[in-house]
Amino acid sequence: MLRRGLLAWVSRLGLVLVVACCGLSLLYMLACSPRADEGHLPLPRSHVPTGKEGYQALLQEREEQHRHYVGSLKKQIAQLKEALQERSEQLRGVRDSLERTGTGGAAAAPAAPAGLLDGAAERGVADLQEFFRSQLSRAEAHQGARLPSEYAVVPFESFTLQKVYQLEMGLTRHPEEKPVRKDRRDELSETVESALQALNSPRDGENTPQQKVFSPAAFIEGISRTEKDKGTLYELTFKTDRSHEFRRLVFFRPFGPLMKVKNERVDTAYMPINIVVPLAKRADKFRQFMHNFREVCIREDGKVHLTVVYFGKDQVSDVKAILENTSREINFKNFTLIQLNEEFSRGRGLDVGARAWKGNNVLLFFCDVDIYFTADFLNSCRLNAQPGKKVFYPILFSQYNPALIYGHRDNIPPIEQQLVIKKDTGFWRDFGFGMTCQYRSDFINIGGFDVDIKGWGGEDVHLYRKYLHSNLLVVRAPSRSLFHLWHEKHCADELPPEQYKMCMQSKAMNEASHGQLGMLFFRHEIEAHLRKQKHKAAGKKT
């Protein structure tokens, strides 16, 4: 009886509420609808149509703003859930630690008091927060640091929702780019979303219904820079409804504590390297290569096999004689010469040389005849490649034209003295992927080179991209012991347009630095200036 009466009372109450809501809605519509004698009332926003279309546009805009606001609230809820989960895991970790400390290997000790667990977890969180605060205090977030010169400045990058504009691009990169790496895109997107959440969260002293709801369209620009021992600083600017008013937010992403990931011993004593060199003609360059090979690979290292894949018959007798003399003079037998009566193809030659190995799995070093390396590089090759896990793509230092560097051919020093890593002597060949260290098993499993590519260029990028798309780690880093010796480059007319363009770009980059090329381009103006100065000096003496 009591239940039936309660249901009836709830039903009546619900009916009254429905009628009240309908009445309020009717009154609101009557109050908001424009009167016939007043015409169309202006909307409280500029540049918006009036009348029915104006109200629809306003409602659509409000709906969009509230959708962004609801999205921000959902993200905040998700972050709170993650924080709660991390808090629970911390408490469980502290509890397990206390239990292990109390047992000493015996029976399980009684559970620690809840207050002790909370205190230990709070101390851990407090220590972490203190570390983050110390990182922030060391960074240039609140005030600038005193720097010894302009070379100590860490430059900022600016970014929008679509692009990143970078200062340190060199001559081989673009001053602007769309971030390709997913982690870079996610980093910037997360920063913008965090700023929007902070802007759209209710603030004390403000009326929440009238508060502007910021959307990604309000983001103007951000700047960021990373100090490698402190963290990343972000400053983001948003526009408001007022034409001269903006909102600026500053974020700091401190680096966490240093964690040891691996501590292992690597023995390279039983890691032979098979150096594969494709060759056509160029016997003089091969003689120079073998001189370096003798000193580094035979006399210093002693764990290297050489595979030469020669195309054609011209000068093949000279190449055979160079190998036989080396074998006879220093008793070197670890070499293989493969002759192919085909048109030269670098990818084809390296593929044949790699597959010709008949022993156990071996570390391959794909090399060109105009490459100079030291024993330190061979160790780097062994340490940065691992079968089934890592391949090594070193960035070599490419030498400029020695005749331009040293002013005249008669002033060119020996090769060993030319190999200096400086701005005016060469550049990091970060657009080249031809020199690489990888195990034969990984090369076979990935499918090898595209042997259909003929002539110059393209095959190395194709293989490099296949490794990027695989589960293997690609180690890409500058190598201070690997050099590309300058040689005059010829771009054949038979090359397809794209390959010919790549070849000409590489040819231009190989000659001299930007400043040196500028001096050559303006040499007539410089010579005229020197003549004028000489005449002035002669006139003063007379």
Side-chain angles (χ1 to χ4, degrees):
M1 193 69 180
L2 180 60
R3 183 179 300 176
R4 188 178 304 167
L6 181 61
L7 292 175
W9 181 80
V10 170
S11 301
R12 286 195 295 271
L13 180 61
L15 181 61
V16 171
L17 290 175
V18 170
V19 172
C21 290
C22 292
L24 290 174
S25 301
L26 181 61
L27 290 174
Y28 178 81
M29 292 176 63
L30 292 174
C32 293
S33 60
R35 298 177 184 175
D37 55 347
E38 293 179 357
H40 295 298
L41 292 176
L43 291 172
R45 299 175 66 90
S46 59
H47 309 293
V48 177
T50 58
K52 181 178 179 181
E53 293 81 9
Y55 284 112
Q56 288 178 347
L58 181 61
L59 290 174
Q60 185 175 2
E61 180 181 357
R62 288 296 183 187
E63 182 180 357
E64 182 72 18
Q65 291 176 343
H66 285 294
R67 185 161 58 249
H68 285 297
Y69 186 54
V70 170
S72 298
L73 291 177
K74 288 181 178 178
K75 291 176 181 176
Q76 292 181 32
I77 293 172
Q79 289 178 350
L80 290 174
K81 288 181 178 179
E82 291 179 359
L84 181 60
Q85 184 177 0
E86 291 177 358
R87 173 78 171 182
S88 301
E89 292 175 355
Q90 288 176 353
L91 292 175
R92 283 197 296 269
V94 174
R95 182 184 293 110
D96 294 341
S97 177
L98 290 174
E99 288 178 355
R100 287 193 298 268
T101 304
T103 57
L116 180 60
L117 291 177
D118 293 341
E122 289 175 0
R123 284 195 300 274
V125 174
D127 293 341
L128 189 60
Q129 291 176 347
E130 179 61 29
F131 171 80
F132 289 159
R133 281 194 293 268
S134 67
Q135 291 289 87
L136 179 59
S137 64
R138 295 174 58 222
E140 294 185 55
H142 300 295
Q143 61 183 10
R146 296 183 179 181
L147 303 175
S149 68
E150 69 273 18
Y151 300 106
V153 175
V154 179
F156 280 92
E157 293 180 344
S158 64
F159 61 95
T160 63
L161 292 176
Q162 290 81 26
K163 292 184 179 180
V164 176
Y165 300 84
Q166 53 189 6
L167 179 63
E168 294 182 328
M169 67 284 188
L171 295 178
T172 60
R173 299 189 182 93
H174 300 288
E176 64 159 14
E177 67 171 8
K178 293 183 178 179
V180 177
R181 286 180 60 95
K182 183 178 182 298
D183 55 351
R184 180 62 166 153
R185 296 198 306 269
D186 292 345
E187 171 201 352
L188 297 177
S189 299
E190 180 189 1
T191 306
V192 175
E193 290 176 0
S194 299
L196 288 172
Q197 291 176 12
L199 289 171
N200 293 326
S201 298
R203 294 182 293 274
D204 295 336
E206 293 190 17
N207 190 2
T208 303
Q210 297 180 357
Q211 176 183 329
K212 172 181 171 57
V213 179
F214 288 84
S215 67
F219 176 61
I220 298 177
E221 187 183 53
I223 61 173
S224 70
R225 72 172 178 181
T226 299
E227 296 179 77
K228 295 183 178 180
D229 61 339
K230 302 175 184 67
T232 304
L233 182 70
Y234 305 90
E235 289 188 18
L236 298 94
T237 304
F238 292 79
K239 61 183 178 182
T240 65
D241 289 335
R242 301 179 182 179
S243 58
H244 300 289
E245 186 178 272
F246 304 90
R247 295 290 297 273
R248 183 174 63 189
L249 294 91
V250 179
F251 290 88
F252 183 68
R253 190 194 303 272
F255 295 135
L258 188 66
M259 297 177 62
K260 182 175 68 176
V261 178
K262 186 182 294 184
N263 184 359
E264 62 179 359
R265 179 176 176 268
V266 180
D267 186 0
T268 62
Y270 303 100
M271 294 183 183
I273 298 178
N274 181 15
I275 300 180
V276 184
V277 179
L279 189 62
K281 302 180 181 179
R282 305 185 70 185
D284 54 339
K285 288 292 183 180
F286 184 69
R287 184 176 290 105
Q288 179 179 295
F289 174 85
M290 287 303 299
H291 174 74
N292 179 47
F293 185 87
R294 285 188 187 192
E295 299 300 323
V296 174
C297 299
I298 301 176
R299 291 195 170 99
E300 289 189 52
D301 190 87
K303 302 184 294 295
V304 175
H305 185 95
L306 177 63
T307 300
V308 179
V309 182
Y310 196 86
F311 289 83
K313 299 179 180 179
D314 192 10
Q315 300 185 15
V316 66
S317 58
D318 296 336
V319 172
K320 289 181 179 179
I322 294 171
L323 289 173
E324 291 172 356
N325 289 337
T326 302
S327 175
R328 183 172 56 255
E329 291 174 3
I330 55 178
N331 193 27
F332 177 70
K333 305 296 183 182
N334 294 328
F335 69 90
T336 303
L337 177 62
I338 302 173
Q339 185 178 359
L340 300 177
N341 294 322
E342 304 173 8
E343 180 186 356
F344 177 79
S345 169
R346 185 177 184 274
R348 164 74 171 157
L350 294 174
D351 198 88
V352 169
R355 297 178 187 274
W357 181 264
K358 300 302 181 183
N360 297 327
N361 194 19
V362 68
L363 178 59
L364 302 172
F365 172 35
F366 295 143
C367 185
D368 289 340
V369 72
D370 47 19
I371 296 298
Y372 185 99
F373 54 87
T374 68
D376 290 337
F377 171 75
L378 297 178
N379 288 330
S380 298
C381 186
R382 295 182 175 101
L383 293 172
N384 288 300
Q386 191 172 355
K389 295 184 178 180
K390 294 192 298 183
V391 294
F392 183 37
Y393 273 85
I395 303 174
L396 52 81
F397 192 78
S398 189
Q399 182 190 32
Y400 287 139
N401 187 345
L404 297 179
I405 295 174
Y406 301 101
H408 195 275
R409 294 187 181 275
D410 296 337
N411 299 330
I412 299 177
I415 289 180
E416 291 77 11
Q417 298 179 19
Q418 298 178 32
L419 304 178
V420 180
I421 299 177
K422 293 173 59 178
K423 181 179 179 181
D424 292 332
T425 60
F427 63 98
W428 290 116
R429 202 180 185 91
D430 58 347
F431 56 85
F433 308 95
M435 306 317 117
T436 172
C437 297
Q438 52 194 262
Y439 275 86
R440 184 179 181 273
S441 57
D442 296 327
F443 177 78
I444 299 297
N445 292 334
I446 206 72
F449 284 105
D450 183 357
V451 296
D452 294 330
I453 298 177
K454 304 297 182 183
W456 186 92
E459 80 291 332
D460 50 354
V461 181
H462 184 265
L463 179 65
Y464 179 71
R465 288 172 179 167
K466 288 201 290 187
Y467 278 118
L468 291 179
H469 298 157
S470 72
N471 293 326
L472 275 70
L473 174 64
V474 178
V475 180
R476 180 76 168 151
S479 175
R480 55 186 175 84
S481 51
L482 184 66
F483 297 87
H484 178 270
L485 301 179
W486 182 87
H487 60 87
E488 189 174 358
K489 185 177 290 295
H490 299 281
C491 299
D493 293 335
E494 295 79 14
L495 290 173
E498 187 62 27
Q499 280 185 285
Y500 187 83
K501 182 180 177 181
M502 291 170 58
C503 183
M504 292 301 294
Q505 288 175 345
S506 177
K507 181 176 181 178
M509 299 265 319
N510 284 339
E511 287 300 312
S513 67
H514 197 183
Q516 290 167 327
L517 290 176
M519 295 291 287
L520 290 174
F521 185 81
F522 295 111
R523 67 182 182 276
H524 298 299
E525 297 181 28
I526 296 172
E527 291 172 356
H529 173 76
L530 292 175
R531 285 195 298 268
K532 290 179 181 179
Q533 294 296 321
K534 188 176 181 179
H535 287 313
K536 286 182 180 180
K540 289 181 180 180
K541 289 181 180 180
T542 58

PDB file of all heavy atoms in Angstrom, residues 7 18 33 68 94 110 117 152 156 162-163 169 205 217 229 281 305 376 386 447 479 485 500 517:
ATOM      1  N   LEU A   7       4.497   5.585  -5.570  1.00  0.00           N
ATOM      2  CA  LEU A   7       4.541   5.649  -7.027  1.00  0.00           C
ATOM      3  C   LEU A   7       3.583   6.692  -7.565  1.00  0.00           C
ATOM      4  O   LEU A   7       3.906   7.442  -8.508  1.00  0.00           O
ATOM      5  CB  LEU A   7       4.218   4.271  -7.624  1.00  0.00           C
ATOM      6  CG  LEU A   7       5.268   3.164  -7.393  1.00  0.00           C
ATOM      7  CD1 LEU A   7       4.749   1.824  -7.923  1.00  0.00           C
ATOM      8  CD2 LEU A   7       6.566   3.538  -8.094  1.00  0.00           C
ATOM      9  N   VAL A  18       7.022  18.381 -15.803  1.00  0.00           N
ATOM     10  CA  VAL A  18       6.940  18.462 -17.267  1.00  0.00           C
ATOM     11  C   VAL A  18       6.139  19.670 -17.694  1.00  0.00           C
ATOM     12  O   VAL A  18       6.514  20.424 -18.606  1.00  0.00           O
ATOM     13  CB  VAL A  18       6.332  17.156 -17.824  1.00  0.00           C
ATOM     14  CG1 VAL A  18       6.005  17.306 -19.317  1.00  0.00           C
ATOM     15  CG2 VAL A  18       7.288  15.990 -17.614  1.00  0.00           C
ATOM     16  N   SER A  33      11.502  35.848 -29.255  1.00  0.00           N
ATOM     17  CA  SER A  33      11.127  36.042 -30.661  1.00  0.00           C
ATOM     18  C   SER A  33      10.953  37.519 -30.955  1.00  0.00           C
ATOM     19  O   SER A  33      10.442  38.294 -30.133  1.00  0.00           O
ATOM     20  CB  SER A  33       9.819  35.288 -30.946  1.00  0.00           C
ATOM     21  OG  SER A  33       8.788  35.785 -30.094  1.00  0.00           O
ATOM     22  N   HIS A  68      33.469  21.881 -27.894  1.00  0.00           N
ATOM     23  CA  HIS A  68      34.872  21.950 -27.482  1.00  0.00           C
ATOM     24  C   HIS A  68      34.995  21.907 -25.962  1.00  0.00           C
ATOM     25  O   HIS A  68      35.902  21.264 -25.421  1.00  0.00           O
ATOM     26  CB  HIS A  68      35.520  23.222 -28.023  1.00  0.00           C
ATOM     27  CG  HIS A  68      35.830  23.168 -29.487  1.00  0.00           C
ATOM     28  ND1 HIS A  68      36.712  22.270 -30.028  1.00  0.00           N
ATOM     29  CD2 HIS A  68      35.359  23.905 -30.525  1.00  0.00           C
ATOM     30  CE1 HIS A  68      36.785  22.437 -31.327  1.00  0.00           C
ATOM     31  NE2 HIS A  68      35.970  23.428 -31.666  1.00  0.00           N
ATOM     32  N   VAL A  94      54.448   0.860  -2.603  1.00  0.00           N
ATOM     33  CA  VAL A  94      54.959   1.132  -1.258  1.00  0.00           C
ATOM     34  C   VAL A  94      54.570   0.007  -0.308  1.00  0.00           C
ATOM     35  O   VAL A  94      55.366  -0.433   0.534  1.00  0.00           O
ATOM     36  CB  VAL A  94      54.425   2.491  -0.756  1.00  0.00           C
ATOM     37  CG1 VAL A  94      54.825   2.716   0.689  1.00  0.00           C
ATOM     38  CG2 VAL A  94      54.970   3.618  -1.620  1.00  0.00           C
ATOM     39  N   PRO A 110      52.491  -8.489   8.737  1.00  0.00           N
ATOM     40  CA  PRO A 110      51.180  -7.854   8.705  1.00  0.00           C
ATOM     41  C   PRO A 110      51.219  -6.611   7.830  1.00  0.00           C
ATOM     42  O   PRO A 110      52.247  -5.973   7.669  1.00  0.00           O
ATOM     43  CB  PRO A 110      50.932  -7.497  10.176  1.00  0.00           C
ATOM     44  CG  PRO A 110      51.868  -8.354  10.961  1.00  0.00           C
ATOM     45  CD  PRO A 110      53.037  -8.592  10.096  1.00  0.00           C
ATOM     46  N   LEU A 117      51.403   4.121   4.785  1.00  0.00           N
ATOM     47  CA  LEU A 117      51.434   4.032   3.341  1.00  0.00           C
ATOM     48  C   LEU A 117      51.177   5.391   2.713  1.00  0.00           C
ATOM     49  O   LEU A 117      51.865   5.806   1.789  1.00  0.00           O
ATOM     50  CB  LEU A 117      50.380   3.021   2.857  1.00  0.00           C
ATOM     51  CG  LEU A 117      50.665   1.546   3.182  1.00  0.00           C
ATOM     52  CD1 LEU A 117      49.509   0.699   2.705  1.00  0.00           C
ATOM     53  CD2 LEU A 117      51.955   1.097   2.566  1.00  0.00           C
ATOM     54  N   ALA A 152      76.151  30.597 -27.398  1.00  0.00           N
ATOM     55  CA  ALA A 152      75.597  29.805 -26.301  1.00  0.00           C
ATOM     56  C   ALA A 152      74.076  29.869 -26.243  1.00  0.00           C
ATOM     57  O   ALA A 152      73.468  29.231 -25.383  1.00  0.00           O
ATOM     58  CB  ALA A 152      76.187  30.267 -24.969  1.00  0.00           C
ATOM     59  N   PHE A 156      64.811  29.211 -30.177  1.00  0.00           N
ATOM     60  CA  PHE A 156      63.449  28.704 -30.110  1.00  0.00           C
ATOM     61  C   PHE A 156      63.011  28.244 -31.502  1.00  0.00           C
ATOM     62  O   PHE A 156      63.538  28.697 -32.526  1.00  0.00           O
ATOM     63  CB  PHE A 156      62.482  29.786 -29.641  1.00  0.00           C
ATOM     64  CG  PHE A 156      62.469  29.996 -28.157  1.00  0.00           C
ATOM     65  CD1 PHE A 156      63.294  30.932 -27.565  1.00  0.00           C
ATOM     66  CD2 PHE A 156      61.620  29.260 -27.346  1.00  0.00           C
ATOM     67  CE1 PHE A 156      63.280  31.133 -26.204  1.00  0.00           C
ATOM     68  CE2 PHE A 156      61.596  29.456 -25.987  1.00  0.00           C
ATOM     69  CZ  PHE A 156      62.431  30.395 -25.407  1.00  0.00           C
ATOM     70  N   GLN A 162      49.730  23.741 -37.932  1.00  0.00           N
ATOM     71  CA  GLN A 162      50.105  22.923 -39.090  1.00  0.00           C
ATOM     72  C   GLN A 162      51.612  22.743 -39.261  1.00  0.00           C
ATOM     73  O   GLN A 162      52.061  21.686 -39.693  1.00  0.00           O
ATOM     74  CB  GLN A 162      49.555  23.546 -40.389  1.00  0.00           C
ATOM     75  CG  GLN A 162      48.049  23.474 -40.549  1.00  0.00           C
ATOM     76  CD  GLN A 162      47.326  24.560 -39.769  1.00  0.00           C
ATOM     77  OE1 GLN A 162      47.907  25.613 -39.507  1.00  0.00           O
ATOM     78  NE2 GLN A 162      46.084  24.305 -39.405  1.00  0.00           N
ATOM     79  N   LYS A 163      52.416  23.751 -38.903  1.00  0.00           N
ATOM     80  CA  LYS A 163      53.828  23.708 -39.269  1.00  0.00           C
ATOM     81  C   LYS A 163      54.724  24.110 -38.111  1.00  0.00           C
ATOM     82  O   LYS A 163      54.280  24.760 -37.163  1.00  0.00           O
ATOM     83  CB  LYS A 163      54.095  24.641 -40.464  1.00  0.00           C
ATOM     84  CG  LYS A 163      53.458  24.175 -41.766  1.00  0.00           C
ATOM     85  CD  LYS A 163      53.852  25.085 -42.917  1.00  0.00           C
ATOM     86  CE  LYS A 163      53.243  24.597 -44.227  1.00  0.00           C
ATOM     87  NZ  LYS A 163      53.628  25.476 -45.364  1.00  0.00           N
ATOM     88  N   MET A 169      68.395  24.856 -39.550  1.00  0.00           N
ATOM     89  CA  MET A 169      68.040  23.947 -40.633  1.00  0.00           C
ATOM     90  C   MET A 169      69.212  23.631 -41.534  1.00  0.00           C
ATOM     91  O   MET A 169      69.149  22.711 -42.324  1.00  0.00           O
ATOM     92  CB  MET A 169      66.885  24.510 -41.473  1.00  0.00           C
ATOM     93  CG  MET A 169      67.209  25.758 -42.277  1.00  0.00           C
ATOM     94  SD  MET A 169      67.275  27.234 -41.293  1.00  0.00           S
ATOM     95  CE  MET A 169      67.431  28.488 -42.557  1.00  0.00           C
ATOM     96  N   GLY A 205      35.958  34.199  -9.691  1.00  0.00           N
ATOM     97  CA  GLY A 205      35.617  35.596  -9.937  1.00  0.00           C
ATOM     98  C   GLY A 205      35.020  35.856 -11.298  1.00  0.00           C
ATOM     99  O   GLY A 205      34.767  37.004 -11.650  1.00  0.00           O
ATOM    100  N   ALA A 217      40.851  27.307 -33.177  1.00  0.00           N
ATOM    101  CA  ALA A 217      40.956  28.418 -34.122  1.00  0.00           C
ATOM    102  C   ALA A 217      41.493  29.684 -33.470  1.00  0.00           C
ATOM    103  O   ALA A 217      41.998  30.577 -34.161  1.00  0.00           O
ATOM    104  CB  ALA A 217      39.590  28.696 -34.747  1.00  0.00           C
ATOM    105  N   ASP A 229      69.476  19.502 -20.552  1.00  0.00           N
ATOM    106  CA  ASP A 229      69.632  19.067 -19.168  1.00  0.00           C
ATOM    107  C   ASP A 229      68.511  19.586 -18.267  1.00  0.00           C
ATOM    108  O   ASP A 229      68.565  19.402 -17.054  1.00  0.00           O
ATOM    109  CB  ASP A 229      70.984  19.542 -18.612  1.00  0.00           C
ATOM    110  CG  ASP A 229      71.105  21.053 -18.628  1.00  0.00           C
ATOM    111  OD1 ASP A 229      70.368  21.693 -19.407  1.00  0.00           O
ATOM    112  OD2 ASP A 229      71.918  21.591 -17.882  1.00  0.00           O
ATOM    113  N   LYS A 281      85.423   0.645 -63.549  1.00  0.00           N
ATOM    114  CA  LYS A 281      86.588   1.472 -63.912  1.00  0.00           C
ATOM    115  C   LYS A 281      87.207   2.054 -62.639  1.00  0.00           C
ATOM    116  O   LYS A 281      87.353   1.351 -61.659  1.00  0.00           O
ATOM    117  CB  LYS A 281      86.185   2.556 -64.913  1.00  0.00           C
ATOM    118  CG  LYS A 281      85.568   2.023 -66.193  1.00  0.00           C
ATOM    119  CD  LYS A 281      85.180   3.144 -67.144  1.00  0.00           C
ATOM    120  CE  LYS A 281      84.549   2.593 -68.400  1.00  0.00           C
ATOM    121  NZ  LYS A 281      84.123   3.663 -69.348  1.00  0.00           N
ATOM    122  N   HIS A 305      86.811  -8.821 -44.138  1.00  0.00           N
ATOM    123  CA  HIS A 305      86.813  -9.467 -45.451  1.00  0.00           C
ATOM    124  C   HIS A 305      86.382  -8.429 -46.477  1.00  0.00           C
ATOM    125  O   HIS A 305      85.490  -7.620 -46.225  1.00  0.00           O
ATOM    126  CB  HIS A 305      85.855 -10.662 -45.479  1.00  0.00           C
ATOM    127  CG  HIS A 305      85.898 -11.439 -46.756  1.00  0.00           C
ATOM    128  ND1 HIS A 305      86.677 -12.561 -46.920  1.00  0.00           N
ATOM    129  CD2 HIS A 305      85.262 -11.253 -47.945  1.00  0.00           C
ATOM    130  CE1 HIS A 305      86.519 -13.041 -48.133  1.00  0.00           C
ATOM    131  NE2 HIS A 305      85.662 -12.252 -48.787  1.00  0.00           N
ATOM    132  N   ASP A 376      88.423   3.251 -35.696  1.00  0.00           N
ATOM    133  CA  ASP A 376      87.340   3.619 -34.780  1.00  0.00           C
ATOM    134  C   ASP A 376      85.976   3.427 -35.426  1.00  0.00           C
ATOM    135  O   ASP A 376      85.018   3.026 -34.765  1.00  0.00           O
ATOM    136  CB  ASP A 376      87.498   5.076 -34.332  1.00  0.00           C
ATOM    137  CG  ASP A 376      88.689   5.269 -33.417  1.00  0.00           C
ATOM    138  OD1 ASP A 376      89.108   4.278 -32.795  1.00  0.00           O
ATOM    139  OD2 ASP A 376      89.186   6.401 -33.315  1.00  0.00           O
ATOM    140  N   GLN A 386      73.121  -4.855 -34.683  1.00  0.00           N
ATOM    141  CA  GLN A 386      72.837  -6.076 -33.929  1.00  0.00           C
ATOM    142  C   GLN A 386      71.825  -6.895 -34.712  1.00  0.00           C
ATOM    143  O   GLN A 386      70.777  -6.364 -35.115  1.00  0.00           O
ATOM    144  CB  GLN A 386      72.286  -5.728 -32.538  1.00  0.00           C
ATOM    145  CG  GLN A 386      72.199  -6.903 -31.591  1.00  0.00           C
ATOM    146  CD  GLN A 386      71.826  -6.468 -30.184  1.00  0.00           C
ATOM    147  OE1 GLN A 386      71.720  -5.277 -29.900  1.00  0.00           O
ATOM    148  NE2 GLN A 386      71.624  -7.424 -29.302  1.00  0.00           N
ATOM    149  N   GLY A 447      64.524  -7.924 -47.785  1.00  0.00           N
ATOM    150  CA  GLY A 447      64.296  -7.977 -49.231  1.00  0.00           C
ATOM    151  C   GLY A 447      65.398  -7.394 -50.074  1.00  0.00           C
ATOM    152  O   GLY A 447      65.297  -7.384 -51.314  1.00  0.00           O
ATOM    153  N   SER A 479      79.178  10.325 -37.813  1.00  0.00           N
ATOM    154  CA  SER A 479      80.362   9.542 -37.513  1.00  0.00           C
ATOM    155  C   SER A 479      81.589  10.386 -37.803  1.00  0.00           C
ATOM    156  O   SER A 479      81.808  10.787 -38.952  1.00  0.00           O
ATOM    157  CB  SER A 479      80.391   8.254 -38.340  1.00  0.00           C
ATOM    158  OG  SER A 479      81.591   7.553 -38.121  1.00  0.00           O
ATOM    159  N   LEU A 485      85.547  11.343 -49.657  1.00  0.00           N
ATOM    160  CA  LEU A 485      86.573  12.121 -50.337  1.00  0.00           C
ATOM    161  C   LEU A 485      85.987  12.784 -51.582  1.00  0.00           C
ATOM    162  O   LEU A 485      85.203  12.172 -52.322  1.00  0.00           O
ATOM    163  CB  LEU A 485      87.752  11.215 -50.726  1.00  0.00           C
ATOM    164  CG  LEU A 485      88.449  10.484 -49.568  1.00  0.00           C
ATOM    165  CD1 LEU A 485      89.575   9.620 -50.110  1.00  0.00           C
ATOM    166  CD2 LEU A 485      88.974  11.468 -48.532  1.00  0.00           C
ATOM    167  N   TYR A 500      68.419  12.766 -62.239  1.00  0.00           N
ATOM    168  CA  TYR A 500      69.346  13.794 -62.724  1.00  0.00           C
ATOM    169  C   TYR A 500      69.309  15.023 -61.814  1.00  0.00           C
ATOM    170  O   TYR A 500      70.356  15.611 -61.499  1.00  0.00           O
ATOM    171  CB  TYR A 500      68.982  14.177 -64.150  1.00  0.00           C
ATOM    172  CG  TYR A 500      69.987  15.112 -64.794  1.00  0.00           C
ATOM    173  CD1 TYR A 500      71.150  14.603 -65.380  1.00  0.00           C
ATOM    174  CD2 TYR A 500      69.778  16.487 -64.817  1.00  0.00           C
ATOM    175  CE1 TYR A 500      72.084  15.454 -65.968  1.00  0.00           C
ATOM    176  CE2 TYR A 500      70.703  17.344 -65.399  1.00  0.00           C
ATOM    177  CZ  TYR A 500      71.855  16.822 -65.974  1.00  0.00           C
ATOM    178  OH  TYR A 500      72.777  17.662 -66.531  1.00  0.00           O
ATOM    179  N   LEU A 517      81.307  29.673 -51.888  1.00  0.00           N
ATOM    180  CA  LEU A 517      80.657  29.840 -53.185  1.00  0.00           C
ATOM    181  C   LEU A 517      80.267  31.292 -53.412  1.00  0.00           C
ATOM    182  O   LEU A 517      80.335  31.805 -54.535  1.00  0.00           O
ATOM    183  CB  LEU A 517      79.417  28.943 -53.265  1.00  0.00           C
ATOM    184  CG  LEU A 517      79.671  27.434 -53.353  1.00  0.00           C
ATOM    185  CD1 LEU A 517      78.353  26.670 -53.318  1.00  0.00           C
ATOM    186  CD2 LEU A 517      80.450  27.084 -54.611  1.00  0.00           C
TER     187      LEU A 517
END
